[in-house]
């Protein structure tokens, strides 16, 4: 961990380095990177909160309001690099990333992630009872009535997919074998002696390393299906905290299925002190949300569920489905953790529901309601279109932005579930993009600002107990 800390400590600072920085140094970081010593809490991969007021805050920093105070916080950095002066030139680029992409599919129990039920390969007497039960529960053998994972495995997308499926012990694995055989998936591996987010994280690391070492070149994508009760955070963090994984595999995105019929009940559930509500967590971490099983509910029920989901996560794209039928592009290759695609997320267009279907008019309405709601009621969500140009002299300097972000994550990483941002850093010709998951931070310059492109600063936060105004003020305090 100590060596990671050193790397961490340099990440934002190395923006100013002119040489090409190795991938592992540029892209993996666990905050805090500036202030030491780190509190145990800030390093914790898990968190336990009783009062859950999850919400999104989108803060657009494009219009500084006369704030030019320079932060003079002394950084007792554990950094190994020499701190750079504000406004120095930067030419570092994100190195090409050839790691295998991995997608986490999550969603509460029974949301339709992936019991494998493909064709009639097994006769009922060959099935174990749990599998039989599920088969009986649906339309036997029908490819039409399937699940997201089956859909991914059987659709024509030309990708060779390795699947890691996490089920609790007693669940039958025959179904997976059927899927592997039927679909030609390179590998389906079961992790069935615990939950990925807690007891079998080590297994996940080993499994991924084994896949990569033994089967390199034989698959193009890894899909990880979590148990229905998994908290995605520790699984996400595995991709950054474990060198073995990080060097070969990049997290592509988190896809969350939401059961249109039962989700409301799970979202309402009040958990005992210190226990998280997994249904909320799964939505909060998502890059893509699939509201599944819409055949079981009416339009108004779906609409109000979507409104609710939007209060938890406005950043993710959202689609409604029956039996997990979505375009594969929607779930694979989405770049949810890809720095080069951050802009599409932080732009106002980033979080939207697919409108290309029959209920178009209603969706539009919901979306706008959501905006108004946020503005008029709780003032927690500040969202602007973010395309205003502004005076460059108000861009953050690299050191002050570093200090602000470092301090913010040091103090608030437990509450910041995800964040994505685009910064116009003083003296930097490239846009600086970053994303974070709790105390994991990943940032880098990407393409150059266009000659006529308005430079802007914009950060989207998802978390709990976040105050948009406080964040806004914090950021402005580090503007030059
Ligand atoms: N009516 C209906 N049933 C669905 C839909 N999608 C999935 N199902 C059924 O819902 C049941 C649960 O689906 P699963 O794929 O097992 O759900 P899961 O998310 O993997 O559940 P866990 O393994 O418990 O986490 C199965 O019987 C599916 O066939 C849908 O859109 N509509």
């Amino acid at each position: 961990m100590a060596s990671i800390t050193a790397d961490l400590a340099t990440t934002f600072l190395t923006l100013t380095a002119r040489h090409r920085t190795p991938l592992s140094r540029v892209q993996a970081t666990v905050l805090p990177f500036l202030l030491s010593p780190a509190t145990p809490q800030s390093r914790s991969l898990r968190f336990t909160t009783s009062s859950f007021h999850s919400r999104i805050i989108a803060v657009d920093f494009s219009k500084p309001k006369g704030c030019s105070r320079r932060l003079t916080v002394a950084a007792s950095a554990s950094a190994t690099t020499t701190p750079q002066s504000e406004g120095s030139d930067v030419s570092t680029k994100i190195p090409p990333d050839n790691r295998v992409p991995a997608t986490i599919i999550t969603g509460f129990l029974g949301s339709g992630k992936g019991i494998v039920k493909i064709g009639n390969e097994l006769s009922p007497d060959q099935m174990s009872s749990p599998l039989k039960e599920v088969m009986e529960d649906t339309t036997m053998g029908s490819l039409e009535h399937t699940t997201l994972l089956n859909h991914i495995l059987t659709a024509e997308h030309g990708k060779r997919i390795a699947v890691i499926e996490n089920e609790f012990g007693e669940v039958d694995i025959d179904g997976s074998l059927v899927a592997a055989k039927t679909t030609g998936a390179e590998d389906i591996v079961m992790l069935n002696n615990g939950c990925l987010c807690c007891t079998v994280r080590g297994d996940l690391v080993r499994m991924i390393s084994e896949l990569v070492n033994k089967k390199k070149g034989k698959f193009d994508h890894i899909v990880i299906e979590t148990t229905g009760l998994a908290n995605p955070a520790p699984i996400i963090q595995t991709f950054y905290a474990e060198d073995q994984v990080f060097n070969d595999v990049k997290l592509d995105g988190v896809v969350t299925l939401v059961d249109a019929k039962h989700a409301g009940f799970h979202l309402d559930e009040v958990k005992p002190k210190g226990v998280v509500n997994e249904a909320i967590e799964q939505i909060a971490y998502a890059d893509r949300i699939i509201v599944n099983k819409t055949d079981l509910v009416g339009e108004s029920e779906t609409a109000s569920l979507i409104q609710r989901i939007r209060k938890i996560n406005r950043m993710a794209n959202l689609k409604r489905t029956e039996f997990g039928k979505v375009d594969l592009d929607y779930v694979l290759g989405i770049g949810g953790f890809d720095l080069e695609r951050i802009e599409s997320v932080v732009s106002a267009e980033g979080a939207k529901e697919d409108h290309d279907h029959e209920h178009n008019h209603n969706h539009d309405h919901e979306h706008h309601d959501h905006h108004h709601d946020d503005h008029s009621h709780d003032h927690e969500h500040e969202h602007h279109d973010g395309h205003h140009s502004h005076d460059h002299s108000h861009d953050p300097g690299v050191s002050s932005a570093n200090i602000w972000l470092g301090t913010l994550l040091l103090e608030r990483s437990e509450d910041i579930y995800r964040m994505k941002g685009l910064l116009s850093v003083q003296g930097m010709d490239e846009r600086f993009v970053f994303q974070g998951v709790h105390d994991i931070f990943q940032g880098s310059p990407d393409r150059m600002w266009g000659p006529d492109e308005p430079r802007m600063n914009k950060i989207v936060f998802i978390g709990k107990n976040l105050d948009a105004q406080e964040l806004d003020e914090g950021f402005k305090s580090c503007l030059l």
Side-chain angles (χ1 to χ4, degrees), residues 52-55 108 230-232 256 263 266-271 276-286 308-309 311-313 417 462-464:
F52 208 108
H53 306 294
S54 185
R55 56 173 66 97
F108 208 75
N231 169 5
T256 298
H266 299 304
L267 293 173
D268 284 340
E269 231 172 298
V270 178
K271 297 282 181 171
V276 296
N277 181 325
E278 299 90 352
I280 296 178
E281 305 273 313
Q282 291 166 353
I283 291 171
Y285 287 100
R308 215 164 157 192
I309 291 170
K311 293 212 184 265
I312 300 167
N313 184 343
Y417 284 32
I462 292 181
K464 62 184 164 58

Side-chain angles (χ1 to χ4, degrees), residues 108-115 134 137-138 146-147 167 225 227-228 292-293 295-296 321-324:
F108 208 75
L109 297 168
S111 53
K113 299 182 291 298
I115 186 73
V134 174
D137 195 29
T138 58
T146 181
T147 62
E167 297 281 7
E225 184 201 340
T227 68
N292 194 35
K293 300 193 171 185
D295 55 307
L296 300 180
T321 58
E322 293 176 14
F323 294 97

Side-chain angles (χ1 to χ4, degrees), residues 83-375:
Q84 307 289 321
S85 60
E86 299 280 355
S88 53
D89 283 346
V90 178
S91 58
T92 309
K93 281 284 182 195
I94 303 177
D97 191 343
N98 300 319
R99 295 172 297 162
V100 180
T103 300
I104 297 172
I105 296 182
T106 187
F108 208 75
L109 297 168
S111 53
K113 299 182 291 298
I115 186 73
V116 181
K117 186 186 67 62
I118 296 176
N120 284 318
E121 270 74 9
L122 294 183
S123 62
D125 59 335
Q126 286 176 299
M127 294 178 197
S128 62
S129 39
L131 183 60
K132 216 183 295 179
E133 226 168 82
V134 174
M135 295 289 278
E136 279 161 10
D137 195 29
T138 58
T139 311
M140 284 279 281
S142 161
L143 274 175
E144 225 167 279
H145 293 94
T146 181
T147 62
L148 179 62
L149 189 54
N150 285 1
H151 186 55
I152 291 174
L153 291 175
T154 51
E156 293 291 332
H157 45 61
K159 283 191 169 78
R160 295 161 305 164
I161 295 174
V163 179
I164 296 179
E165 232 192 317
N166 182 208
E167 297 281 7
F168 284 113
E170 67 276 24
V171 173
D172 174 75
I173 68 166
D174 290 350
S176 299
L177 300 175
V178 175
K181 209 170 78 197
T182 312
T183 64
E186 282 305 322
D187 253 300
I188 295 196
V189 226
M190 292 294 289
L191 293 174
N192 58 354
N193 54 351
C195 180
L196 265 190
C197 76
C198 16
T199 49
V200 295
R201 272 187 66 215
D203 289 353
L204 175 65
V205 174
R206 273 193 298 284
M207 200 68 82
I208 291 176
S209 306
E210 223 169 274
L211 271 177
V212 169
N213 293 335
K214 294 192 182 156
K215 309 262 178 172
K216 202 164 190 161
K218 291 192 175 159
F219 60 91
D220 313 305
H221 205 108
I222 300 174
V223 170
I224 299 164
E225 184 201 340
T226 72
T227 68
L229 291 172
N231 169 5
I235 306 172
I236 293 170
Q237 297 199 324
T238 303
F239 287 85
Y240 294 91
E242 304 287 343
D243 281 353
Q244 271 175 293
V245 177
F246 179 80
N247 291 333
D248 294 310
V249 180
K250 66 176 169 199
L251 186 54
D252 179 47
V254 177
V255 177
T256 298
L257 267 98
V258 180
D259 181 334
K261 188 165 172 60
H262 301 109
F265 171 75
H266 299 304
L267 293 173
D268 284 340
E269 231 172 298
V270 178
K271 297 282 181 171
K273 200 169 179 217
V275 177
V276 296
N277 181 325
E278 299 90 352
I280 296 178
E281 305 273 313
Q282 291 166 353
I283 291 171
Y285 287 100
D287 295 293
R288 296 281 190 269
I289 294 172
I290 297 175
V291 178
N292 194 35
K293 300 193 171 185
T294 49
D295 55 307
L296 300 180
V297 290
E299 168 59 26
S300 66
E301 207 174 324
T302 310
S304 73
L305 175 63
I306 288 173
Q307 252 181 335
R308 215 164 157 192
I309 291 170
R310 282 304 182 208
K311 293 212 184 265
I312 300 167
N313 184 343
R314 198 187 164 279
M315 198 159 74
N317 287 56
L318 183 148
K319 269 187 202 263
R320 309 167 182 218
T321 58
E322 293 176 14
F323 294 97
K325 265 181 274 171
V326 281
D327 283 348
L328 271 296
D329 288 349
Y330 185 72
V331 285
L332 301 183
I334 58 184
F337 290 79
D338 186 342
L339 295 180
E340 291 176 75
R341 296 207 206 164
I342 295 297
E343 186 182 10
S344 64
V345 179
V346 296
S347 74
E349 297 305 308
K352 59 181 182 188
E353 185 179 354
D354 173 29
H355 290 229
D356 303 333
H357 62 84
E358 62 209 74
H359 305 300
N360 194 12
H361 54 287
N362 286 324
H363 293 190
D364 276 342
H365 183 64
E366 275 159 22
H367 194 67
H368 291 299
D369 273 348
H370 179 74
H371 276 264
H372 293 306
D373 201 39
D374 280 330
H375 281 292

